[in-house]
């Protein structure tokens, strides 16, 4: 369930990582001055640093001695190659143990700065169709994102977190990875830590103590906060007045228009009307997806026993 993380490593000497034979650090040097590069790709001044990459994780040591590690623990489990398969609780524990064995990094040393929690499922219909019909999350519209690294997905950015929905199969195919089934990923990316901190989660160890299974309710709640238009609604069963409103409900501009005009009460009324029609006259795709997500989260969190030294290299 864990994917991308950004963590601050406390109480670890940079020399321990610098001397590790698995990490080949490099620095960005200004070719004109010969000095360490202190400008990032956005043109902002930054503290000079050195970087090493290993199994999909980026180890960054700043000139000040601050150590930041970022990347996908799921990809780490797969040798840095991909993150489309299942990544259960035992695999997570193995990755954390591997980081401790190879780099001397304990989970309690890892202060969370960014965290992605999500689940990959085989959806009941094509993922692209699901993406097209996810209109809003709460009252914010989804926006399609597409880049060469992450492929096609939709997201909504809130003040402290981002909701993402991926076509994971398309992502894999774009990287030359052959996948036999449709894969949809739904995730919460915590960009601010206040919500997690209120749960007593500050470090990776706190996260494991809390239990990844406890994010099930949060993931399902955020999925149900998606305003989803179900195109399995049986048009021939609709009454005349329902046909008119369904035509409006199937247009995302209708919903954003209500919100732009500050018709919040009207928005809530029609959202409830859509839910009633969907419940009675469709196969309830959003609910089916919720059931699949629930089962998959349970599967991923079975038998959380600790296994050591599973990696052979």
């Amino acid at each position: 369930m864990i994917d991308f993380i950004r963590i601050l490593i406390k109480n670890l000497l940079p020399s321990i990582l610098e001397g590790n034979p698995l990490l080949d650090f490099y620095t960005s040097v200004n070719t004109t001055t010969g000095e360490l590069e202190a400008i990032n790709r956005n043109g902002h001044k930054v503290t000079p640093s050195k970087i090493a990459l290993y199994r999909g994780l980026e180890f960054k040591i700043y000139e000040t001695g601050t150590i930041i590690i970022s990347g996908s623990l799921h990809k780490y489990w797969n040798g840095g190659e991909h993150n489309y398969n299942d990544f259960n609780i035992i695999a997570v524990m193995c990755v954390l143990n591997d980081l401790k064995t190879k780099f001397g990094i304990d989970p309690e040393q890892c202060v969370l700065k960014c965290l992605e929690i999500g689940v990959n499922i085989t959806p009941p219909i094509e993922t692209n169709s699901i993406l097209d019909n996810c209109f809003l999350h709460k009252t914010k519209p989804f926006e399609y994102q597409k880049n060469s690294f992450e492929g096609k997905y939709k997201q909504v950015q809130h003040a402290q977190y981002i909701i993402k929905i991926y076509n994971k199969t398309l992502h894999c195919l774009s990287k030359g990875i052959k996948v036999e089934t449709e894969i949809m990923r739904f995730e919460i990316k915590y960009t601010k830590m206040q919500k997690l901190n209120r749960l007593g989660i500050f470090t990776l160890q706190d996260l494991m103590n809390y239990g990844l299974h406890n994010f099930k309710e949060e993931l399902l709640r955020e999925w149900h906060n998606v305003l989803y238009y179900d195109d399995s609604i049986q048009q021939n069963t609709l009454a005349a007045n329902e046909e008119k409103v369904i035509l409006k409900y199937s247009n995302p501009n209708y919903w954003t228009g209500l919100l732009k005009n500050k018709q919040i009460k009207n928005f809530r009324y029609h959202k409830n009307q859509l839910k009633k029609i969907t419940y009675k006259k469709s196969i309830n795709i959003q609910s089916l997806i919720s059931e699949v997500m629930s089962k998959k989260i349970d599967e991923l969190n079975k038998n959380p026993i600790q296994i050591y030294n599973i990696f052979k290299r």
Side-chain angles (χ1 to χ4, degrees), residues 28 30 36-49:
S28 296
N30 187 306
L36 291 182
E37 191 67 70
I39 304 293
N40 67 12
R41 60 186 176 185
N42 296 319
H44 301 139
K45 288 186 177 181
V46 295
T47 304
S49 62

Side-chain angles (χ1 to χ4, degrees), residues 127 167-174 177 179 181-184:
T127 306
N167 182 333
K168 205 66 184 173
T169 301
L170 186 61
H171 180 201
C172 292
L173 292 174
S174 70
I177 301 170
V179 181
T181 61
E182 287 274 329
I183 302 173
M184 170 188 145

Side-chain angles (χ1 to χ4, degrees), residues 1-2 89 115 117-119 188 190 195-196 198-201 205-222 293-294 296-302 304:
M1 287 174 65
I2 302 178
I89 187 63
L115 173 69
I117 296 284
V119 60
I188 307 169
Y190 296 96
K195 193 167 187 177
L196 295 178
R198 286 197 296 271
L199 296 172
I201 300 172
Q205 186 62 58
D206 295 333
L207 181 65
M208 299 306 291
N209 291 343
Y210 179 76
L212 297 181
H213 61 281
N214 285 312
F215 285 93
K216 174 180 175 177
E217 185 179 336
E218 181 82 356
L219 283 164
L220 295 178
R221 179 168 52 247
E222 297 297 2
M293 286 173 58
S294 178
K296 176 52 73 74
I297 292 168
D298 289 342
E299 288 174 10
L300 293 175
N301 287 283
K302 282 182 181 177

Side-chain angles (χ1 to χ4, degrees), residues 64-120:
T64 57
T66 299
I67 301 171
I68 297 289
I69 297 177
S70 59
S72 169
L73 293 183
H74 192 166
K75 285 185 179 179
Y76 186 101
W77 172 251
N78 291 305
E81 296 297 321
H82 64 80
N83 59 352
Y84 73 84
N85 60 345
D86 288 345
F87 186 46
N88 64 21
I89 187 63
I90 295 175
V92 174
M93 289 178 171
C94 291
V95 168
L96 296 183
N97 181 64
D98 200 57
L99 290 173
K100 181 176 180 179
T101 301
K102 290 178 177 175
F103 306 109
I105 298 172
D106 287 308
E108 59 264 28
Q109 291 176 278
C110 302
V111 180
L112 289 164
K113 297 296 181 182
C114 183
L115 173 69
E116 287 181 353
I117 296 284
V119 60
N120 296 343

Side-chain angles (χ1 to χ4, degrees), residues 7-9 12 14 47-50 60-68:
I7 49 178
L8 168 68
I9 309 300
L12 184 69
T47 304
S49 62
K50 57 178 66 176
K60 182 178 284 190
I61 301 175
Y62 289 91
E63 198 173 55
T64 57
T66 299
I67 301 171
I68 297 289

